[in-house]
Amino acid sequence: MPKISEEKKKQRQLDILKTALRLFSQKGYYAASIDDITREAGISKGLIYTYFKSKEEIFLELAQRWDELTNNTSFADTLDRVLSDDMSVTEQLMCVWDATVSQWTEENLNFARIKFEFWLEASKNEALREKMKEKAMSSLRIVEDIIFKTRPDMDPAVAAAFSRLWWSQIDGLAAYFVSYRLLPPESEMARIRDIIRHMCGYLEAR
Amino acid sequence: MPKISEEKKKQRQLDILKTALRLFSQKGYYAASIDDITREAGISKGLIYTYFKSKEEIFLELAQRWDELTNNTSFADTLDRVLSDDMSVTEQLMCVWDATVSQWTEENLNFARIKFEFWLEASKNEALREKMKEKAMSSLRIVEDIIFKTRPDMDPAVAAAFSRLWWSQIDGLAAYFVSYRLLPPESEMARIRDIIRHMCGYLEAR
Amino acid sequence: MPKISEEKKKQRQLDILKTALRLFSQKGYYAASIDDITREAGISKGLIYTYFKSKEEIFLELAQRWDELTNNTSFADTLDRVLSDDMSVTEQLMCVWDATVSQWTEENLNFARIKFEFWLEASKNEALREKMKEKAMSSLRIVEDIIFKTRPDMDPAVAAAFSRLWWSQIDGLAAYFVSYRLLPPESEMARIRDIIRHMCGYLEAR
Amino acid sequence: MPKISEEKKKQRQLDILKTALRLFSQKGYYAASIDDITREAGISKGLIYTYFKSKEEIFLELAQRWDELTNNTSFADTLDRVLSDDMSVTEQLMCVWDATVSQWTEENLNFARIKFEFWLEASKNEALREKMKEKAMSSLRIVEDIIFKTRPDMDPAVAAAFSRLWWSQIDGLAAYFVSYRLLPPESEMARIRDIIRHMCGYLEAR
DNA sequence: TATGAATGAGAATTCATTCAT
DNA sequence: AATGAATGAATTCTCATTCAT
């Protein structure tokens, strides 16, 4: 029988993950040491190994529980709230766009940094790659669902291609802003939004 | 009188950079050690320091000479050849698209991995960031030039936003393919191309 | 609650310093490696860095805690015991002389070797230089105090010059014996003592 | 048959030694690299090994040819010029003192730094130790000669002790000034000279 | 002779992980 | 469960020396 409750353990695990998330985001995976993490999490260096079996496992766990850790869980909920069936594909997609972009605060862009590290690692690590794919799928599905809801007869391959491009644009833009350490200027974002809206017209036409 | 000619020296420097490029691409900057690089380059451990003063310098040099090392120098030339003034904006941009996508061979996608590391590092390293910005600028300018050539009165801010989005989606797609280690299926690329073509219509309308 | 007590920690730090002192004395600061020190101290290579942040810090700490490490702490005490107010300047100074020379055991002369390294390093390192100056000052003051106690009206500049010469000759002699690896022959020391005694007469005359 | 004359070779060897002397004095034996020496001496790195078989040999050669390299050869000559038979021991010794102290220019004190390194090395290296002893002997003899010239019946052991103390004082003072990087203040040196003069009285009395 | 590129042993230091308490 | 001291493999980098030209 464990000395601390299962619940406490979960909580502590979460604490460690959040600290790791913050430090990995700030310094990068290699530069942030186990020492840093335990110090910042307020636990002893040895203890972290009862919660995770290695530094890498922490990293993988972060990738796994990304949404939970970045409070991104509500994204789908938000969409549920704002989307309604009488909106056009374009209108609905612009809601997705706005919901996404509204998350690009300084803090979140910082977090985004670690997403690159996931990508990097994924290219070398099959287990991680599978996890990331799964997550990507569920994002793709958001867009596909919207498309099929309004255009039930859309060619699935087209919907898939559109979704892929959609998130690629978003990730590409995020990458740019993270890398260059600048928050997207509102005016530029407005113009980009305009182009995206035009792009959505592609779906309307079919 | 130097023992080896300036040319040989340049060549060896290039060899080292290429080896580093390959290893950094395979294992990542941190995981690839100086030992690895020298062993693979067939030189002694110490010699690398006559060519570069630190591991970091090699990394920065890679960022700097990226185009040369990935045989990407011809990109502008290719464009010069295929673009002609009597093409529409869309047609010209699709040439850029095709030239870009035709580069996505297995080998190049592998190299692209390191581009992520540049992005990551850039967010922490101002010198690198500036270099990267410069490179990004020249890419942006390619698209902007095309826009202005055909639509001289285009709002510069719109052209800038379009260019930004353009390369972001390309980088985002590349990231996806690198990370998931799959070459873009031709059919999907064809559909994405179609959407992109539609997006270009945004510029025609103005 | 620390795993080992503060006291044990101090003890280990002292062990390391003593080992370093011995090795630096035998081989010199540069020739004695961290590997040597840890091996001889019976600890792992990494551990030394929990006690000292660099090899240089060990060296500086040795300079700082020289008296403690060479059991030289009792020097002032010894003097307190043997000096009494009814002795002449000369008699008192000869007590200082005897107390100093009685320390010149084989072991201590070996340690003295490292003092040269302090001197050498001091000429290049200001922080060390300041520490050494401080130590030198307190030695100078021993002789000055004796002079002023018996000759309150002595010109301070003369007292200072005498003190400087006093310790210079002692250091010079020590250097000689260390360098030539010979303990001072008693008969020669007796004759030198005689000359020194005569030199003290300089102070009596004033 | 050598391609360059024996003379040229000697000259080049001397150049190297002088450069080494300067660099070792400035930076210390360990900090001054073969690279530094050859660069400053204007020869290629490899060539130095045709003149000396190792870095250590250069060091030992410096110790050997110290007087020649520091233009100290003239010291005996100077003394010959200033000393005359009708001076008292004290007067003659003060000439030695003045001749010695007048050499303590900034540059020479810098050279003195390397003398410490000889001392240090001598304590570990028997060959060097013997060379140093020999040199020390000839210094001792200068003082002894003066003593015997004026006091032919002086107890040789006393003369030896006096000489030893004499040079110890001088080396000790030099050490102090080198280590603390200060040129001896004239006023203090005058006072020390006064004490030394008094000390010489020891010899007169016998 | 002369060059300087090349070598490789060895240095200091870091850090994920283990383990005695 | 919790601590943090201890480990040691691995890393980057230096530099005296060698050697092909």
Side-chain angles (χ1 to χ4, degrees):
Chain A
M1 129 184 78
K3 296 262 179 55
I4 61 166
S5 68
E6 199 60 24
E7 194 190 355
K8 269 227 150 147
K9 194 161 175 174
K10 290 277 174 210
Q11 183 53 48
R12 165 121 349 133
Q13 216 165 25
L14 203 65
D15 286 348
I16 295 172
L17 285 174
K18 281 183 174 167
T19 308
L21 172 61
R22 180 160 52 80
L23 288 171
F24 287 167
S25 294
Q26 276 164 19
K27 310 173 132 196
Y29 176 70
Y30 285 93
S33 68
I34 290 286
D35 248 44
D36 290 333
I37 298 171
T38 52
R39 195 182 323 107
E40 294 273 310
I43 61 171
S44 74
K45 205 201 306 214
L47 191 56
I48 204 169
Y49 287 89
T50 51
Y51 293 95
F52 301 94
K53 77 173 199 289
S54 70
K55 191 184 177 186
E56 197 189 355
E57 208 195 55
I58 297 175
F59 181 77
L60 296 178
E61 197 77 7
L62 282 181
Q64 178 107 317
R65 298 169 63 179
W66 178 256
D67 293 335
E68 171 190 0
L69 290 160
T70 56
N71 300 314
N72 202 21
T73 40
S74 53
F75 188 70
D77 296 346
T78 306
L79 288 185
D80 274 352
R81 240 189 356 269
V82 294
L83 299 184
S84 72
D85 288 351
D86 57 350
M87 290 164 127
S88 69
V89 201
T90 298
E91 282 169 325
Q92 291 197 41
L93 286 174
M94 292 327 283
C95 287
V96 176
W97 173 266
D98 292 335
T100 304
V101 168
S102 73
Q103 286 182 325
W104 289 1
T105 59
E106 189 135 15
E107 191 194 17
N108 279 318
L109 280 179
N110 215 348
F111 286 163
R113 191 187 182 285
I114 214 183
K115 249 178 131 175
F116 291 171
E117 304 221 45
F118 294 152
W119 286 353
L120 275 173
E121 196 60 22
S123 76
K124 296 186 301 178
N125 179 324
E126 184 160 359
L128 177 58
R129 192 154 63 240
E130 289 312 311
K131 279 182 196 166
M132 300 283 291
K133 262 185 193 160
E134 234 172 87
K135 292 210 169 287
M137 287 298 173
S138 72
S139 288
L140 290 177
R141 217 166 302 123
I142 290 173
V143 172
E144 287 177 337
D145 283 353
I146 289 173
I147 295 174
F148 289 130
K149 217 168 31 176
T150 46
R151 304 267 151 178
D153 51 350
M154 179 73 69
D155 175 356
V158 169
F162 189 91
S163 305
R164 170 85 70 236
L165 180 59
W166 178 269
W167 292 111
S168 293
Q169 290 176 328
I170 282 172
D171 286 336
L173 283 167
Y176 175 81
F177 293 120
V178 170
S179 178
Y180 296 138
R181 295 188 83 76
L182 34 94
L183 275 178
E186 285 217 14
S187 58
E188 187 172 16
M189 286 309 287
R191 284 188 194 92
I192 289 174
R193 189 182 189 280
D194 222 34
I195 303 167
I196 297 284
R197 167 182 279 279
H198 176 89
M199 187 182 83
C200 292
Y202 180 82
L203 297 169
E204 306 278 3
R206 312 255 120 183
Chain B
M1 82 192 98
K3 257 288 281 308
I4 62 171
S5 67
E6 200 61 22
E7 195 190 352
K8 274 219 152 154
K9 204 162 169 172
K10 292 273 175 213
Q11 184 53 49
R12 169 142 303 168
Q13 206 168 34
L14 207 63
D15 286 349
I16 294 172
L17 284 174
K18 281 182 176 168
T19 308
L21 173 61
R22 181 161 51 82
L23 287 170
F24 288 167
S25 292
Q26 276 164 21
K27 310 173 127 195
Y29 175 69
Y30 289 95
S33 70
I34 289 287
D35 253 40
D36 290 334
I37 298 171
T38 52
R39 196 182 320 108
E40 293 277 310
I43 60 172
S44 71
K45 209 199 291 221
L47 188 57
I48 204 166
Y49 290 93
T50 31
Y51 291 95
F52 302 94
K53 73 174 200 289
S54 68
K55 190 184 178 187
E56 196 189 353
E57 208 196 53
I58 296 176
F59 183 76
L60 295 178
E61 197 78 5
L62 283 181
Q64 182 108 315
R65 299 170 62 179
W66 177 257
D67 292 335
E68 171 190 358
L69 290 160
T70 56
N71 300 315
N72 202 21
T73 40
S74 53
F75 187 70
D77 295 346
T78 306
L79 288 185
D80 273 352
R81 240 188 356 268
V82 295
L83 298 184
S84 74
D85 288 351
D86 57 349
M87 292 164 125
S88 69
V89 202
T90 298
E91 281 169 324
Q92 292 197 41
L93 286 173
M94 292 328 283
C95 286
V96 177
W97 173 263
D98 292 335
T100 305
V101 167
S102 74
Q103 288 182 323
W104 290 0
T105 62
E106 189 136 15
E107 192 193 16
N108 278 321
L109 280 180
N110 212 350
F111 288 163
R113 190 189 180 283
I114 213 184
K115 248 180 136 175
F116 293 171
E117 303 222 47
F118 295 153
W119 286 354
L120 275 172
E121 201 58 22
S123 75
K124 294 187 303 180
N125 178 327
E126 184 157 1
L128 177 57
R129 192 153 64 239
E130 288 311 311
K131 276 183 196 169
M132 301 282 292
K133 261 185 194 161
E134 234 172 273
K135 289 203 172 287
M137 286 297 171
S138 72
S139 288
L140 290 178
R141 217 167 301 125
I142 289 174
V143 173
E144 287 177 339
D145 283 353
I146 289 173
I147 295 174
F148 288 129
K149 215 169 32 176
T150 46
R151 305 266 150 180
D153 51 349
M154 180 73 69
D155 176 355
V158 168
F162 189 92
S163 305
R164 169 86 70 237
L165 179 59
W166 178 268
W167 293 110
S168 292
Q169 55 190 193
I170 282 173
D171 285 336
L173 282 166
Y176 175 82
F177 294 121
V178 170
S179 177
Y180 298 140
R181 296 187 81 77
L182 37 91
L183 276 178
E186 286 218 12
S187 58
E188 185 171 17
M189 286 308 288
R191 284 187 195 93
I192 288 173
R193 189 181 189 281
D194 222 33
I195 303 168
I196 298 282
R197 168 183 279 279
H198 175 89
M199 191 180 83
C200 292
Y202 180 81
L203 297 169
E204 305 279 2
R206 312 255 119 184
Chain C
M1 82 191 98
K3 256 290 281 311
I4 63 169
S5 66
E6 199 59 24
E7 196 190 354
K8 274 219 153 151
K9 204 162 171 172
K10 291 272 174 213
Q11 183 53 48
R12 167 136 310 162
Q13 205 167 35
L14 207 64
D15 285 350
I16 294 171
L17 285 174
K18 281 182 175 169
T19 308
L21 173 61
R22 181 160 52 80
L23 287 170
F24 287 167
S25 292
Q26 275 164 21
K27 309 173 128 197
Y29 174 69
Y30 289 96
S33 69
I34 289 286
D35 252 41
D36 290 334
I37 298 171
T38 52
R39 195 182 322 108
E40 292 277 309
I43 60 173
S44 71
K45 208 201 288 223
L47 188 58
I48 204 166
Y49 290 92
T50 29
Y51 291 96
F52 302 95
K53 75 173 199 290
S54 69
K55 191 184 178 188
E56 195 189 355
E57 208 195 55
I58 296 176
F59 183 76
L60 295 178
E61 197 79 6
L62 283 181
Q64 180 109 316
R65 298 170 62 179
W66 177 257
D67 293 335
E68 172 191 359
L69 290 160
T70 55
N71 300 315
N72 201 20
T73 40
S74 52
F75 187 71
D77 295 346
T78 306
L79 287 185
D80 273 351
R81 236 185 3 264
V82 294
L83 299 184
S84 73
D85 288 350
D86 58 350
M87 290 163 128
S88 68
V89 201
T90 298
E91 281 168 325
Q92 291 196 40
L93 286 174
M94 293 327 284
C95 287
V96 175
W97 173 264
D98 293 334
T100 304
V101 168
S102 73
Q103 287 181 325
W104 291 0
T105 62
E106 188 136 15
E107 190 193 19
N108 278 321
L109 280 181
N110 212 349
F111 287 162
R113 191 190 179 282
I114 212 183
K115 248 181 138 174
F116 291 171
E117 302 223 47
F118 294 153
W119 286 353
L120 275 173
E121 200 60 23
S123 75
K124 295 188 302 180
N125 178 327
E126 183 158 1
L128 177 58
R129 192 153 65 240
E130 289 311 310
K131 277 183 196 168
M132 301 282 292
K133 261 185 194 160
E134 234 172 273
K135 291 208 172 285
M137 287 296 171
S138 72
S139 288
L140 290 178
R141 216 166 302 124
I142 289 173
V143 172
E144 287 178 338
D145 283 353
I146 288 172
I147 295 173
F148 288 129
K149 214 168 37 176
T150 46
R151 305 266 151 180
D153 51 350
M154 180 73 69
D155 176 356
V158 169
F162 189 91
S163 306
R164 170 86 71 237
L165 179 60
W166 178 268
W167 292 111
S168 293
Q169 57 190 193
I170 281 173
D171 285 336
L173 282 166
Y176 176 80
F177 294 122
V178 170
S179 177
Y180 297 141
R181 297 188 81 78
L182 36 92
L183 275 178
E186 284 219 12
S187 58
E188 186 173 15
M189 286 308 288
R191 285 188 195 91
I192 289 174
R193 188 180 190 281
D194 222 34
I195 303 168
I196 298 282
R197 168 183 279 278
H198 176 87
M199 189 182 85
C200 292
Y202 180 82
L203 296 170
E204 305 279 1
R206 312 256 116 182
Chain D
M1 133 183 77
K3 298 261 178 57
I4 62 167
S5 68
E6 198 61 23
E7 195 190 353
K8 267 226 150 148
K9 193 162 174 173
K10 290 277 175 210
Q11 182 53 47
R12 166 127 337 142
Q13 215 166 26
L14 203 64
D15 286 349
I16 294 172
L17 285 173
K18 280 183 177 169
T19 308
L21 172 61
R22 182 161 50 82
L23 287 170
F24 288 167
S25 294
Q26 275 164 20
K27 309 173 132 197
Y29 176 70
Y30 285 93
S33 68
I34 289 286
D35 248 45
D36 291 333
I37 297 170
T38 52
R39 195 183 322 109
E40 294 273 310
I43 60 171
S44 73
K45 206 198 309 212
L47 191 56
I48 205 169
Y49 288 91
T50 52
Y51 293 96
F52 300 95
K53 76 172 201 287
S54 69
K55 191 182 178 188
E56 197 189 356
E57 209 196 52
I58 297 176
F59 182 78
L60 295 177
E61 198 77 5
L62 282 181
Q64 180 106 316
R65 299 169 62 180
W66 178 256
D67 293 336
E68 171 190 1
L69 290 160
T70 57
N71 299 315
N72 203 21
T73 40
S74 53
F75 188 69
D77 294 347
T78 306
L79 288 185
D80 273 351
R81 241 189 356 269
V82 295
L83 298 183
S84 73
D85 289 350
D86 58 349
M87 291 165 126
S88 69
V89 201
T90 298
E91 280 168 327
Q92 291 197 40
L93 286 174
M94 291 329 283
C95 286
V96 176
W97 173 265
D98 292 334
T100 303
V101 168
S102 74
Q103 287 182 323
W104 290 1
T105 61
E106 190 136 13
E107 191 193 14
N108 279 319
L109 281 179
N110 215 348
F111 286 163
R113 192 190 181 282
I114 215 183
K115 250 178 129 175
F116 292 172
E117 304 220 45
F118 294 153
W119 287 352
L120 275 173
E121 197 59 22
S123 75
K124 295 186 300 178
N125 179 326
E126 184 159 0
L128 177 58
R129 191 153 64 240
E130 289 311 312
K131 280 182 197 167
M132 300 283 291
K133 261 184 194 162
E134 235 172 87
K135 293 209 171 284
M137 287 300 173
S138 72
S139 289
L140 291 177
R141 218 166 300 124
I142 289 173
V143 173
E144 287 176 339
D145 283 354
I146 289 173
I147 295 173
F148 289 129
K149 216 168 33 176
T150 46
R151 306 264 151 180
D153 51 348
M154 180 73 69
D155 176 356
V158 168
F162 190 92
S163 305
R164 168 86 69 240
L165 179 60
W166 178 268
W167 292 110
S168 293
Q169 289 175 327
I170 282 173
D171 285 337
L173 282 167
Y176 175 81
F177 293 121
V178 170
S179 177
Y180 296 135
R181 296 187 83 76
L182 33 95
L183 277 178
E186 286 217 13
S187 59
E188 187 172 17
M189 286 308 287
R191 284 187 196 93
I192 289 173
R193 188 182 190 280
D194 223 33
I195 302 167
I196 297 284
R197 167 183 280 277
H198 175 91
M199 188 183 82
C200 292
Y202 180 82
L203 297 169
E204 307 276 3
R206 313 256 116 184

